[in-house]
Amino acid sequence: MAEKLFSFNTQPHVAKLGDSAELHFIPEVFGDQFLDGYKKIQDAREKISGQTDLTALSSEELRSLYAAMRTFLAGLMTPESAAEFLRFEVIKGGKTVADFRSRDEADAHAATVTGARVEDKSMRLPDRVLTELLEWVTELYGGGDSRPTGPSSGSSRASRRAGAPSKASSRSKGSTSTRGASAR
C-alpha cells in the first residue's frame, strides 16, 4: 500500500501594517477562488486600455482598478479582517442601518431606505501598501513560493562572446581607484 502525506496551511497568513494593524488572510484558497478574483483585476486593467502610467488615468478608471484590487484582497481575508478592510455603511439619521463589502450593494440598499446615504468606512492604506499587499497575496496563493530559485535545467546557456579573448595590458602604471574621491 502506497502512502503519501499532503500538507496544507491551517493558520491564517498575517500582513502587519505598521505597529498595530494586522490583516489576516485565509490559510489556503480552494478551487478557482484565487483565479476568479484575480481575473477581475485583470479585467479592470484591460478597461484602462493598457496604460502603465497611473497619472495618465482618469479618476474613474483609477477608482475602478482600486475597487477591483480591494475586493480581490478582501475576498481572500478572514471575515473579521475583510469587515475591517472593506466596509460601506448605509447611514440614516446618523445611525448605521446596514453595512456591505461592495459599494454597489450599499448604494442599492440605500436607494430603498428614505433619507439614507452611504459612507465608505474601509481601512485607508497608501496606494503603495495596497499594491504591495496585492503582490504579496499573488505570490502567496499564486504558487510563487514553490518556484525553484536556481536556473532550470531547460535554460539556454549564455551566448559566446564575439571575437577572440585578449590579454590587453593597461597603459596606466598606477592605480586609478576613485573610491571616496571627490571632484575638485
Side-chain angles (χ1 to χ4, degrees):
M1 174 172 102
E3 184 176 300
K4 177 155 175 87
L5 174 64
F6 293 90
S7 62
F8 54 92
N9 295 319
T10 58
Q11 297 297 315
H13 303 284
V14 178
K16 294 187 181 256
L17 306 170
D19 294 333
S20 59
E22 289 184 352
L23 292 172
H24 295 247
F25 290 81
I26 57 177
E28 295 284 353
V29 292
F30 301 99
D32 292 336
Q33 185 176 6
F34 173 82
L35 295 175
D36 291 345
Y38 197 73
K39 173 84 169 95
K40 291 177 184 171
I41 294 174
Q42 296 298 87
D43 291 346
R45 283 184 180 164
E46 283 179 23
K47 287 180 187 173
I48 295 172
S49 50
Q51 286 285 349
T52 55
D53 180 13
L54 293 181
T55 60
L57 300 175
S58 72
S59 62
E60 199 54 44
E61 289 171 324
L62 275 174
R63 280 187 219 285
S64 175
L65 179 60
Y66 287 148
M69 290 169 61
R70 292 180 71 81
T71 300
F72 170 70
L73 289 168
L76 297 172
M77 291 179 190
T78 61
E80 300 81 18
S81 285
E84 183 180 345
F85 181 72
L86 192 59
R87 185 175 74 239
F88 298 92
E89 294 182 357
V90 177
I91 310 288
K92 181 179 179 179
K95 296 190 181 204
T96 302
V97 295
D99 63 83
F100 298 88
R101 301 281 173 279
S102 150
R103 178 69 190 225
D104 291 341
E105 291 173 337
D107 286 339
H109 184 76
T112 67
V113 179
T114 306
R117 61 185 165 70
V118 175
E119 283 189 23
D120 184 350
K121 297 288 188 164
S122 301
M123 179 184 281
R124 295 286 169 231
L125 295 173
D127 294 346
R128 169 188 55 79
V129 173
L130 186 63
T131 302
E132 287 176 22
L133 263 175
L134 180 65
E135 290 170 355
W136 178 67
V137 166
T138 302
E139 182 84 9
L140 190 65
Y141 297 120
D145 290 337
S146 63
R147 292 184 195 136
T149 55
S152 69
S153 59
S155 295
S156 61
R157 297 181 197 266
S159 301
R160 284 193 61 185
R161 292 185 183 162
S166 68
K167 305 249 190 237
S169 60
S170 170
R171 293 181 192 201
S172 171
K173 300 280 186 203
S175 171
T176 57
S177 174
T178 58
R179 186 181 314 207
S182 61
R184 297 187 199 263

